[in-house]
């Protein structure tokens, strides 16, 4: 007679399977400093099909003081929002001819183009010399530059749609109100997912601002990712397995290969020296 399986305590519960349609379709998330302008934005969204029946509106009140910066605040949104798609947007945007139906269509097209996409927006950097832009702002009305969807290295923060199933998070060692669109794109790339600019037209009242905090945070982001992309030894606890990662494929292969690379005792010696003088 087969033994009965051990009983699992009643307080232990299985993780629920993701269920489409179980929560809101969209979560519209905003840091608010001007309540009146935010109310206009919400009215614009509701009027274009993002109705409260299946959309949630979340905000962080920074009207009295900056209680949360963008990295802190948007991480709260990304972890707490229940929508299939999480819209991180500025309070000073207004929808024009494009609304929910158009956004749904663009997202479906993007999924057909890249099933593993993680986030998208209406403006972003594509390469060293090229931008993709679909926006009306103080620099011009009805701007359309590039071919959509365009794979992006960074997205403008006025309007970003994050796919909740991508499980993205902003860096916890950065702070401020700039470059979080770039940070999200880099994190998505680390996770094997893509970021894109899509053909979704809206109005952004501001043209952006570059001040001392902008350039200071640019240095912080550059330093962070210089460290993140650094060459390094990876050593595991299973059989003392080790390998070397580097932007150079040849160097990585040479230093990871048991036949061609450095002997294991040299690697262990190198590790010991680093641990001793760290």
């Amino acid at each position: 007679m087969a033994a009965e399986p051990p009983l699992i305590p009643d307080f232990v519960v299985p993780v629920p399977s993701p269920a489409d349609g179980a929560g809101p379709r969209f979560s519209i998330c905003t840091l608010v400093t001007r309540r009146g302008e935010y109310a206009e934005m919400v009215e614009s969204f509701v009027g274009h099909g993002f109705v409260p029946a299946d959309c949630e509106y979340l905000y962080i009140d920074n009207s009295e003081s900056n209680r949360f910066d963008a990295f802190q605040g948007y991480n709260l949104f990304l972890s707490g929002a229940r929508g299939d798609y999480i819209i991180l947007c500025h309070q000073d945007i207004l929808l024009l001819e494009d609304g929910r139906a158009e956004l749904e269509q663009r997202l479906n097209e993007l999924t057909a183009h890249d099933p593993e996409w993680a986030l998208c927006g209406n403006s972003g950097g594509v390469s060293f010399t090229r931008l993709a832009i679909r926006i009306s702002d103080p620099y011009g009305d009805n701007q359309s530059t590039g071919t959509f969807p365009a794979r992006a290295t960074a997205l403008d923060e006025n309007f970003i749609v994050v796919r909740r199933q991508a499980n993205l998070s902003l860096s916890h060692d950065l702070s401020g109100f700039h470059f979080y669109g770039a940070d999200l794109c880099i994190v998505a790339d680390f996770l094997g997912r893509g970021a894109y600019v899509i053909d979704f037209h809206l109005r952004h009242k501001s043209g952006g601002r570059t001040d001392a905090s902008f350039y200071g945070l640019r240095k912080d982001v550059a330093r962070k990712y210089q460290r993140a992309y650094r060459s390094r030894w990876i050593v595991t606890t299973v059989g003392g397995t080790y390998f070397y990662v580097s932007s150079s494929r040849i160097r990585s292969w040479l230093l990871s290969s048991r036949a061609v690379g450095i002997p294991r005792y040299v690697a262990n010696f190198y590790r010991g020296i680093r641990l001793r003088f760290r």
Side-chain angles (χ1 to χ4, degrees):
M1 185 176 181
E4 293 186 3
L7 294 177
I8 298 176
D10 294 338
F11 59 82
V12 178
V13 296
V15 64
S17 300
D20 292 336
R25 182 63 169 167
F26 291 95
S27 299
I28 297 96
C29 307
T30 315
L31 300 178
V32 174
T33 58
R34 296 183 293 273
R35 289 171 173 263
E37 191 168 54
Y38 174 62
E40 292 178 1
M41 188 219 83
V42 171
E43 182 180 2
S44 170
F45 270 75
V46 173
H48 283 77
F50 295 90
V51 294
D54 64 348
C55 297
E56 64 176 359
Y57 288 82
L58 307 174
Y59 79 101
I60 289 176
D61 190 355
N62 278 351
S63 59
E64 297 296 330
S65 63
N66 285 329
R67 298 169 53 240
F68 295 93
D69 69 14
F71 289 85
Q72 295 170 323
Y74 285 129
N75 268 336
L76 288 176
F77 290 139
L78 290 171
S79 63
R82 299 178 297 121
D84 297 328
Y85 300 105
I86 303 170
I87 298 176
L88 308 175
C89 62
H90 288 181
Q91 66 190 3
D92 63 343
I93 64 171
L94 295 172
L95 299 188
L96 299 173
E97 69 275 6
D98 288 348
R100 176 172 176 171
E102 288 75 18
L103 183 59
E104 293 266 19
Q105 181 179 347
R106 299 294 179 267
L107 298 181
N108 290 336
E109 292 169 353
L110 183 54
T111 302
H113 176 77
D114 179 3
E116 298 302 318
W117 72 271
L119 70 160
C120 61
N122 59 0
S123 303
V126 176
S127 67
F128 188 68
T129 58
R130 290 195 301 129
L131 301 176
I133 298 172
R134 188 68 181 105
I135 199 171
S136 288
D137 64 16
Y139 299 108
D141 287 342
N142 201 25
Q143 299 172 57
S144 182
T145 303
T147 303
F148 308 104
R151 184 104 182 205
T153 61
L155 291 174
D156 188 281
E157 291 91 355
N158 79 93
F159 178 83
I160 295 175
V161 181
V162 178
R163 206 176 185 182
R164 185 163 65 92
Q165 66 172 239
N167 294 318
L168 293 189
S169 170
L170 284 156
S171 292
H172 291 267
D173 54 354
L174 294 172
S175 61
F177 293 92
H178 303 286
F179 294 104
Y180 53 91
D183 185 56
L184 273 178
C185 292
I186 298 171
V187 170
D189 185 58
F190 271 133
L191 297 177
R193 292 179 176 267
Y196 292 86
V197 178
I198 59 172
D199 182 3
F200 186 75
H201 183 211
L202 54 76
R203 179 172 299 281
H204 185 209
K205 299 178 186 177
S206 170
R209 182 180 63 188
T210 55
D211 53 14
S213 65
F214 175 89
Y215 293 106
L217 185 51
R218 185 179 67 172
K219 291 181 180 179
D220 292 341
V221 174
R223 280 192 293 261
K224 175 202 168 67
Y225 283 104
Q226 285 166 4
R227 174 171 172 76
Y229 281 112
R230 72 192 184 278
S231 300
R232 74 194 86 174
W233 287 101
I234 306 298
V235 183
T236 77
T237 58
V238 181
T241 300
Y242 64 91
F243 57 95
Y244 189 78
V245 294
S246 167
S247 58
S248 168
R249 293 186 179 182
I250 294 177
R251 192 192 316 165
S252 296
W253 176 74
L254 284 173
L255 296 182
S256 298
S257 169
R258 291 184 180 274
V260 181
I262 62 175
R264 185 171 168 186
Y265 67 85
V266 176
N268 289 336
F269 176 77
Y270 175 76
R271 283 183 59 230
I273 293 295
R274 291 195 62 182
L275 291 173
R276 182 176 179 183
F277 292 99
R278 181 159 54 180

